[in-house]
Amino acid sequence: MSSTPSRRTVLRGLTVTGAAVTGFDPGARSWAATTADADLEAVTELARVPRLDGTLVTDDLALAAAADDYGHIVHRRPSAVLRPGSVRDVVAMVRFCNDHCLPVAPRGQGHAPFGQAQVAGGLVIETATLADIGPLGPGSTTVTVGAGARWSAVARATLAHGLTPPVFTDYLELSVGGTLSVGGLGGQAHRYGAQVDNVTELRVVTGAGELVRCSPSRRADLFHAVLAGLGQCAVVVEATLRLVPAPETVRRYQLTYDDLAVFLDDQRLLVQDGRFDYVEGQVHADAAGAFGVYVLEAVAYGPPVGPAPDDTALLRGLRHDPASAESTDQTYYDFLDRLAPVVAAMKAAGIWTYAHPWLNLMLPGTSAAALGARILGGLTPADVGPGAVILFYPLRGDRLTTPLLRSSDDAVSYLFDVLSAAPPDDTVAVDRLLAANRCAYEATAAAGGTHYPVGSIPFTPADWRTHFGPAWPGLESAKRTYDPQGILVPGQGIFG
């Protein structure tokens, strides 16, 4: 495919009628299309769209898809969707949108639950085509990948060389750019920090359309404003990720508790003494329908990065029910991709298309038990819906070094997620869950906690200022500097 289209085609993006998108009418705030050379003469007064290597589409199917996400709650319809054939396309179209004050939002796998990557009347940039993974060798310490690469693909590519990114989210089919915009948390974060804490360099397109490389030593203000910055200052097009040696096999333990405070204390012990490489936890309903069964999930890596797991040493001092303890040996990749069969089952059952009004909180360690008990005490299995998951696990504050990834001031915070589901046409249930999410957030904020911004909590700009706290002035300054027209990712609602 040539990167220099003819005057007639100008763009390869087609509308539903087959006409090429050739310009933008600033007055009507609409895209113009034409099918003949003669028609081009009639659109000379329009703002001409730059030539692209990829496609710009305005058909109903593409716009409807971009107006939806995994949450199936918020629907903001863009006016066009860019499927870039190169980073140059992103630069050209962001610059074009900046010139015409058109809002822009990048979209990876569309897994946001509350319209965060949607944009009304603007441009959605689908980053899935920017998925290259750079060359690797046995001695590599980093890998450079496109923002649209999925973490599953990154894992497979690096494991072929005995290497791995140190931290993964539980679900691997998310894009690198997507998780880096929010933080990227997982059970390894107590040891290595979040995914954003393991980035050495970024290539981004600012809201002004400037292609920039940034790192802790180069344009550090931009680097720190992009990581966990919710897309407010630049579109990530490429990231260089830190790598560590990978194990070949792991041993995964699942330990059951019936006391929330004991469960949380044992988790805290494990992340402080570092005996496990991965620590998470889930909450399940008991026979009476109350959420009172707590399962600590811990994983020890085996050779070549660690010794063969020793059950006695690893479980020493823990207060779980020994009769219910389970352990499983599996390959490292199978462990990373453990949700694949669960997701397949959810899709087969139709639950994947349900609304997902998720609650994601960062609880202060000193009040995690009280806050968790309060929220869980108000829930039933019917409230959270089919296929729901409740996560509850600790994070060490000294490992979370990215300024915009907010947690509590306690030495240990707890990620508390209620990943609920409701039929998308049951607006009463969705509204009830959103209201409950807001109440849970307010109780958490009053105790010194905050939220992990991947969920569905109605937020105002004032809430965002409170959320970012001492990091707010830096984000606000970077927004003015790198997105002066304020076009980037309005769906987050941070700047009004």
Side-chain angles (χ1 to χ4, degrees):
M1 181 179 289
S2 169
S3 61
T4 55
S6 67
R7 183 170 180 263
R8 173 174 293 189
T9 58
V10 185
L11 279 179
R12 297 182 184 83
L14 301 179
T15 68
V16 70
T17 60
V21 179
T22 57
F24 178 75
D25 185 338
R29 310 299 288 174
S30 63
W31 301 95
T34 183
T35 56
D37 281 343
D39 294 331
L40 288 171
E41 304 304 324
V43 297
T44 54
E45 300 303 316
L46 300 179
R48 300 301 296 273
V49 174
R51 296 182 175 184
L52 302 175
D53 299 324
T55 58
L56 185 72
V57 295
T58 59
D59 62 275
D60 286 341
L61 187 62
L63 300 185
D68 195 14
D69 55 28
Y70 183 66
H72 308 300
I73 299 169
V74 176
H75 302 281
R76 302 186 183 102
R77 187 179 175 93
S79 62
V81 172
L82 174 66
R83 293 167 182 160
S86 63
V87 169
R88 290 189 303 272
D89 287 358
V90 180
V91 173
M93 286 308 301
V94 171
R95 190 171 295 166
F96 181 90
C97 290
N98 180 65
D99 290 343
H100 299 285
C101 295
L102 277 170
V104 175
R107 175 187 175 99
Q109 292 301 311
H111 205 70
F114 206 46
Q116 289 95 333
Q118 297 177 25
V119 57
L123 178 70
V124 166
I125 300 173
E126 294 183 348
T127 63
T129 53
L130 305 176
D132 289 347
I133 298 175
L136 282 160
S140 297
T141 58
T142 62
V143 63
T144 298
V145 304
R150 299 186 191 193
W151 285 100
S152 58
V154 175
R156 288 192 295 267
T158 58
L159 283 175
H161 298 275
L163 300 167
T164 181
V167 183
F168 288 91
T169 55
D170 291 335
Y171 182 48
L172 289 189
E173 304 307 324
L174 303 177
S175 69
V176 169
T179 66
L180 295 185
S181 73
V182 296
L185 296 175
Q188 306 95 338
H190 74 275
R191 175 166 290 186
Y192 294 104
Q195 289 179 328
V196 288
D197 299 310
N198 291 279
V199 178
T200 63
E201 185 178 77
L202 294 170
R203 195 154 66 127
V204 303
V205 179
T206 69
E210 180 186 11
L211 180 62
V212 180
R213 288 189 184 275
C214 54
S215 70
S217 60
R218 178 181 183 182
R219 294 281 192 95
D221 62 330
L222 179 59
F223 182 77
H224 292 304
V226 172
L227 293 173
L230 307 179
Q232 294 304 295
C233 300
V235 176
V236 177
V237 293
E238 189 178 86
T240 301
L241 312 172
R242 189 165 73 92
L243 298 176
V244 296
E248 294 177 359
T249 61
V250 307
R251 181 166 296 171
R252 179 185 177 195
Y253 299 85
Q254 292 178 289
L255 314 175
T256 301
Y257 295 72
D258 59 11
D259 185 288
L260 177 58
V262 173
F263 166 71
L264 297 179
D265 285 347
D266 274 8
Q267 285 188 324
R268 179 193 291 264
L269 170 67
L270 294 183
V271 301
Q272 288 177 331
D273 70 17
R275 71 178 81 170
F276 283 102
D277 299 278
Y278 166 105
V279 176
E280 284 198 11
Q282 294 190 21
V283 183
H284 302 290
D286 59 23
F291 285 102
V293 178
Y294 314 102
V295 179
L296 192 160
E297 183 182 20
V299 175
Y301 293 173
V305 301
D310 179 338
D311 295 351
T312 300
L314 289 169
L315 302 183
R316 181 176 293 121
L318 300 181
R319 293 165 287 172
H320 61 285
D321 174 8
S324 63
E326 299 178 7
S327 66
T328 306
D329 293 326
Q330 57 190 146
T331 70
Y332 177 63
Y333 186 82
D334 284 347
F335 160 67
L336 294 179
D337 201 31
R338 63 199 176 279
L339 288 190
V342 177
V343 170
M346 291 175 65
K347 290 180 176 179
I351 299 172
W352 200 254
T353 60
Y354 273 35
H356 296 98
W358 283 2
L359 174 67
N360 304 77
L361 299 172
M362 291 280 213
L363 308 183
T366 52
S367 54
L371 286 167
R374 173 178 171 179
I375 298 169
L376 291 169
L379 293 177
T380 68
D383 291 328
V384 298
V389 175
I390 299 177
L391 300 175
F392 210 160
Y393 65 88
L395 301 160
R396 288 180 51 164
D398 61 348
R399 299 295 195 265
L400 303 178
T401 60
T402 298
L404 294 181
L405 179 56
R406 309 303 299 164
S407 61
S408 76
D409 290 333
D410 286 4
V412 174
S413 297
Y414 284 81
L415 182 68
F416 179 80
D417 295 342
V418 181
L419 309 183
S420 55
D425 56 351
D426 190 347
T427 57
V428 173
V430 170
D431 289 345
R432 174 177 48 78
L433 286 167
L434 291 176
N437 288 355
R438 179 69 200 189
C439 289
Y441 163 73
E442 290 175 356
T444 298
T450 186
H451 81 135
Y452 179 48
V454 298
S456 310
I457 302 175
F459 246 43
T460 67
D463 291 326
W464 283 114
R465 287 193 292 274
T466 300
H467 168 78
F468 284 112
W472 173 257
L475 176 62
E476 189 177 38
S477 175
K479 182 74 169 177
R480 287 195 303 267
T481 300
Y482 295 107
D483 184 24
Q485 299 294 336
I487 66 170
L488 289 180
V489 197
Q492 294 283 3
I494 296 175
F495 291 94

